[in-house]
């Protein structure tokens, strides 16, 4: 598979802090890829460089065939970035918000088709501030899809959602990937990365310290002799919760 994001020797310093300290990785076309790491690891700085929002000090970065340092606005035309849903203007209907962002991008869009794709067709005439948290997250993904991006960047997409809404959003992310869009996400939820991602990069102190599929990373940990002190339970509290309250969405 070809690389749609290619990063080589990337560095970014803020005063004494080297936030990104020589990072090299590729994201393959059509995969769901996550950048993981503790607070302050340098994830946001790396992603903002890839989105053309921040200048790197050193190194190379290409996104969808565009050199990010030479042509940041060319990159912005080819990517989708999920905005925090709190940034939506007030008093606009869900459909009007999609249309508004289409205007910004100078795109003709079928707003209803986009809302249908994210499962919000029946909420088209509802004001965005009246939508549930999960619905607002899905609206923000519809907005990020307005310019038919080749790479969709999602920052902590399921923060604050209940278990049903999280799973529903995972299904939506998988559906977006099936349509050919590469998904690049950051998340602090490792269970989310494990079930959703083809490959994950783990970043710490500005460096990538591991990059592989979740399954291979777990297998190599076990091969190093790792074992948990207690046997893994066959179910957890989330399974109890979902068994009792059902898997269907509750936000309608
Ligand atoms: P989090 O998970 O908390 O969002 P992160 O992995 O995204 O963390 P970054 O936000 O990229 O990490 O920050 C990496 C380092 O760079 C941190 O030490 C942070 O304090 C510092 N940093 C980030 N942005 C700036 C800035 N604009 N000016 C100065 N220092 C910054």
């Amino acid at each position: 598979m070809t690389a749609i994001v290619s990063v080589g020797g990337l560095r970014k310093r803020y005063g004494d802090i080297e936030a990104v300290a020589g990072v090299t990785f590729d994201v393959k076309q059509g995969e769901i890829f996550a950048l993981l790491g503790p607070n302050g690891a340098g994830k946001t700085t790396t992603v903002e460089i890839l989105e053309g929002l921040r200048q790197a000090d050193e190194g190379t970065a290409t996104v969808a065939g565009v050199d990010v340092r030479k042509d940041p606005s060319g990159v912005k035309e080819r990517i989708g970035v999920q905005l925090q849903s709190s940034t939506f203007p007030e008093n606009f209907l869900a459909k009007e918000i999609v249309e508004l962002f289409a205007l910004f991008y100078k795109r003709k869009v079928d707003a209803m088709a986009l809302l249908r794709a994210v499962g919000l067709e029946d909420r088209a005439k509802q004001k965005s501030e009246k939508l549930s948290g999960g619905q607002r997250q899905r609206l923000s993904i519809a907005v990020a899809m307005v310019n038919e991006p080749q790479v969709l960047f999602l920052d902590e997409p399921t923060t604050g959602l209940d278990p049903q809404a999280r799973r529903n959003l995972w299904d939506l992310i998988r559906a977006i990937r099936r349509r050919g869009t590469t998904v690049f996400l950051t998340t602090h939820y490792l269970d989310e990365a494990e079930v959703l991602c083809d490959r994950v990069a783990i970043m710490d102190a500005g460096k990538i310290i591991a990059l592989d599929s979740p399954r291979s990373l777990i297998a190599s940990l076990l091969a190093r002799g790792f074992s948990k002190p207690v046997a893994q339970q066959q179910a957890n509290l989330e399974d109890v919760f979902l068994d009792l309250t059902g898997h269907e969405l509750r936000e309608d």
Side-chain angles (χ1 to χ4, degrees), residues 14 17-20 37-46 54 156 188:
Y14 300 112
I17 298 167
E18 194 163 33
V20 180
N39 292 130
K43 306 179 297 291
T44 306
T45 305
T46 304
R54 236 172 241 284
E156 303 281 342
H188 283 122

